[in-house]
Amino acid sequence: MLLRMSSNHKMDYLLRCVPPSLIQTQAARYDAAVIDTFTSKLDLSAQLANPSMDSQAIICQIQKPISDGGFGLTSAESLSHRAFISSVAATTQSSLSLTLISPPLGR
């Protein structure tokens, strides 16, 4: 739980501010580091390395929301487009509302 609550703030900020095409590699590295930390802390590394285990299914379970039975460590790479578009939309909405309530400068 500590990993889920403490690790995402800086990456969330970057995902909102940097276009997905420019942050894709860093987001993938971040996801790998989070999964590596999680699996080493819970001693799951041997299970992921076991060829008879479906490592992708384990990773999906780790990245699922808690409400869906996962651990809530959402993939930064999968969120990058939604986070950036949401930020652009919020900025556009804020700037439009400012221009509607503020008179133009210089009058």
Side-chain angles (χ1 to χ4, degrees):
M1 184 159 124
L2 185 60
L3 180 63
R4 185 174 57 85
M5 295 179 72
S6 65
S7 66
N8 290 332
H9 302 295
K10 289 180 183 179
M11 182 53 78
D12 286 346
Y13 176 77
L14 289 172
L15 292 174
R16 289 190 309 266
C17 297
V18 179
S21 60
L22 299 178
I23 201 163
Q24 183 176 10
T25 303
Q26 289 78 8
R29 284 184 191 160
Y30 176 81
D31 289 344
V34 168
I35 294 295
D36 184 52
T37 301
F38 183 84
T39 56
S40 67
K41 293 293 179 190
L42 292 182
D43 200 24
L44 298 173
S45 300
Q47 289 181 344
L48 285 174
N50 187 346
S52 67
M53 297 292 288
D54 184 7
S55 62
Q56 194 58 39
I58 295 171
I59 292 170
C60 286
Q61 186 73 29
I62 293 168
Q63 293 178 334
K64 277 186 181 181
I66 293 173
S67 61
D68 291 341
F71 289 92
L73 296 173
T74 309
S75 166
E77 192 174 12
S78 71
L79 288 178
S80 63
H81 285 82
R82 287 178 275 173
F84 185 73
I85 295 298
S86 296
S87 178
V88 169
T91 302
T92 303
Q93 183 180 11
S94 294
S95 65
L96 284 176
S97 64
L98 285 175
T99 58
L100 293 175
I101 62 172
S102 301
L105 295 176
R107 286 189 181 183

